[in-house]
Amino acid sequence: MTNGNIFVVGATYFPLWTKLAELDVGLRFRRSKLGILWLVVPSLAFAFGAGFIWANLFRQPPGDFIPFVALGFAIWGYLAGSLVEGGNVFVNAQGYIRQVPLPLGVFVYRTFAAQTLYFLIGLLTGLATVLIFKGFDPIGLGRGLLGLSMLILFSFSAVYMMAFLGARFRDIPMALQSLLQILFVVSPVIYPASILEERGLHFVAAANPLACLIEVVRTPIVTGEWADPVYYAVAGGVTAAFLLTAALFHALWAKKVVYGL
């Protein structure tokens, strides 16, 4: 079975795709002494080390900039992982797809769940730095929930859409890795968006959907203030576009996935 509403499939097969995601995560850290803590230790080391250095380079208070960097890298890793790994969903699952009559959505949710788990660990690491340097701000955290929900929905939409594109065009994941290297430079991951605004380059962030998705989560959590309304509009628009495009690809290509498109 390849068709069916993607959200109904998610609810119906919840025990299966969560178990598959758990196996994927377990295989990644198999025989590791620290296990999943390897997602925490490097993030903290990077946030404190690089954050302190860049805070001085950008003339920012370290207490503000270290949480800024920690959250920025966690969100960027989630976005990049969802796009790149999404392109490998059906390619990696060909063995299951050709032998077991499961909805394709199961494999979409499998990758989405694994990427979301990695992100949540990075997010908790970033929130820990916020608590250390800025204290507990329930208002900022509450405002950040809107952006967080948009980010998670975008991740699902990206995995869903890229799953079909990656099965149809096998070079997509490699091409995305190159493109993301460029986007990383023009996205305010390691520098504040305000630096772009001061230099008249606000449009660079506003026209970059990945930058908008970063800011709608990070800005409220770090500053306690809402992000620019333009960022919410762009983040919501690109998420809806990805989800609709994924649904279209599903309708056009779902029956061909078993044959490798």
Side-chain angles (χ1 to χ4, degrees):
M1 181 168 57
T2 57
N3 295 310
N5 184 285
I6 189 69
F7 299 111
V8 173
V9 168
T12 304
Y13 290 87
F14 177 81
L16 177 59
W17 58 260
T18 51
K19 186 62 177 180
L20 289 172
E22 180 185 335
L23 290 173
D24 289 341
V25 174
L27 286 173
R28 177 175 175 179
F29 298 102
R30 184 174 56 180
R31 296 187 178 182
S32 169
K33 297 296 184 182
L34 292 180
I36 207 165
L37 285 177
W38 278 117
L39 297 175
V40 177
V41 175
S43 298
L44 282 176
F46 183 85
F48 280 91
F52 180 78
I53 294 173
W54 284 332
N56 286 277
L57 289 175
F58 294 122
R59 298 179 181 178
Q60 301 286 324
D64 291 335
F65 201 71
I66 290 175
F68 176 91
V69 170
L71 288 171
F73 265 87
I75 299 168
W76 177 262
Y78 188 38
L79 293 170
S82 298
L83 289 165
V84 174
E85 293 304 319
N88 294 317
V89 167
F90 297 146
V91 176
N92 292 342
Q94 277 296 303
Y96 288 102
I97 292 171
R98 291 176 177 173
Q99 298 180 49
V100 185
L102 288 172
L104 296 177
V106 168
F107 306 105
V108 172
Y109 279 103
R110 172 190 185 178
T111 298
F112 164 70
Q115 292 301 316
T116 300
L117 176 60
Y118 300 147
F119 165 64
L120 291 177
I121 294 171
L123 177 64
L124 290 174
T125 303
L127 290 176
T129 63
V130 173
L131 290 174
I132 291 171
F133 289 101
K134 302 182 71 65
F136 179 68
D137 180 8
I139 295 177
L141 292 175
R143 289 174 173 173
L145 289 177
L146 173 60
L148 183 61
S149 62
M150 296 174 73
L151 176 66
I152 292 174
L153 182 57
F154 172 82
S155 169
F156 174 76
S157 304
V159 173
Y160 187 21
M161 184 182 78
M162 295 309 303
F164 288 100
L165 278 178
R168 180 66 179 83
F169 306 102
R170 298 300 176 89
D171 291 332
I172 286 287
M174 286 74 78
L176 267 176
Q177 287 178 337
S178 299
L179 177 61
L180 286 168
Q181 290 179 357
I182 299 172
L183 287 176
F184 179 81
V185 175
V186 298
S187 300
V189 179
I190 61 173
Y191 55 84
S194 58
I195 291 180
L196 295 175
E197 297 175 9
E198 292 169 1
R199 289 161 175 76
L201 297 173
H202 179 263
F203 67 92
V204 174
N208 180 350
L210 300 187
C212 294
L213 286 159
I214 292 172
E215 291 304 317
V216 296
V217 178
R218 182 172 60 184
T219 297
I221 293 175
V222 174
T223 68
E225 302 295 331
W226 292 105
D228 190 316
V230 173
Y231 295 156
Y232 291 98
V234 173
V238 74
T239 299
F242 271 44
L243 192 57
L244 290 174
T245 303
L248 175 62
F249 288 164
H250 194 146
L252 294 174
W253 295 337
K255 293 181 180 180
K256 301 179 182 178
V257 169
V258 69
Y259 305 109
L261 287 178

